[in-house]
Amino acid sequence: VQLVESGGGLVQAGVSLRLSCAASGLTLEDFAIAWFRQVPGKEREPVSCINPTDGKTNYPESVKGRFTTSSDMAKNTAFLQMNSLTLEDTAVYYCAASFAYGPYGNSCQGFDDHAMDFWGKGTLVTVSS
C-alpha cells in the first residue's frame, strides 16, 4: 500500500492550494482518507476526513469553511483544497487511510490519528507573508 501526497510548496498568504493523495494497493471504497498536518515540535493535528463511498466529510473548527476535501474514486485519489491560507497553515501535510473510519466503521465521525492504517510521507506547505 502506498499513499503519495503532492501539491505542496511555497505560497503567499491568502492564496489557495490543492493537495493530492494518490493511493495504490488499496481501494478508496473501503477506507476513509484523512489529512493531518504537523509543525516541528508540535503535535500532529487533524485537518479533514472523507468517506469516499458516501461523500461524508468531517473537519475541525480550525479549518472549517476554508478547507475542503474530496475524492475521485476512479483515480483512487483524494484531494485537499485549501483556501485563504495563513501563516498558521504552514506545516507538513500527511494523508492517511483508515478502515475504522471508512464505510464499514464510523464514517469519519470523531476521526483522529490513532486509527489510521496507512500513511503517506507528507508534503510541505509553507505560507509566507
Side-chain angles (χ1 to χ4, degrees):
V1 174
Q2 268 195 322
L3 299 175
V4 180
E5 303 94 338
S6 62
L10 173 63
V11 295
Q12 286 193 320
V15 304
S16 300
L17 199 63
R18 189 173 86 153
L19 306 182
S20 299
C21 173
S24 60
L26 60 81
T27 174
L28 296 190
E29 291 180 351
D30 297 329
F31 289 84
I33 300 296
W35 288 91
F36 297 85
R37 65 186 181 186
Q38 189 168 26
V39 175
K42 294 188 176 181
E43 290 189 358
R44 188 161 47 199
E45 175 187 11
V47 174
S48 70
C49 181
I50 183 168
N51 180 356
T53 300
D54 60 17
K56 288 184 178 179
T57 58
N58 197 6
Y59 305 91
E61 288 299 322
S62 58
V63 304
K64 195 174 290 186
R66 293 193 302 123
F67 289 11
T68 303
T69 187
S70 60
S71 63
D72 184 334
M73 295 177 74
K75 296 181 178 179
N76 224 34
T77 299
F79 305 96
L80 180 67
Q81 177 69 39
M82 305 184 294
N83 298 330
S84 302
L85 286 165
T86 71
L87 300 181
E88 289 69 35
D89 295 318
T90 295
V92 178
Y93 285 73
Y94 300 89
C95 68
S98 171
F99 186 83
Y101 289 114
Y104 307 107
N106 290 345
S107 196
C108 287
Q109 295 304 308
F111 79 100
D112 61 31
D113 61 356
H114 294 111
M116 297 296 138
D117 299 294
F118 305 103
W119 289 87
K121 293 183 178 181
T123 185
L124 176 63
V125 174
T126 304
V127 183
S128 66
S129 58

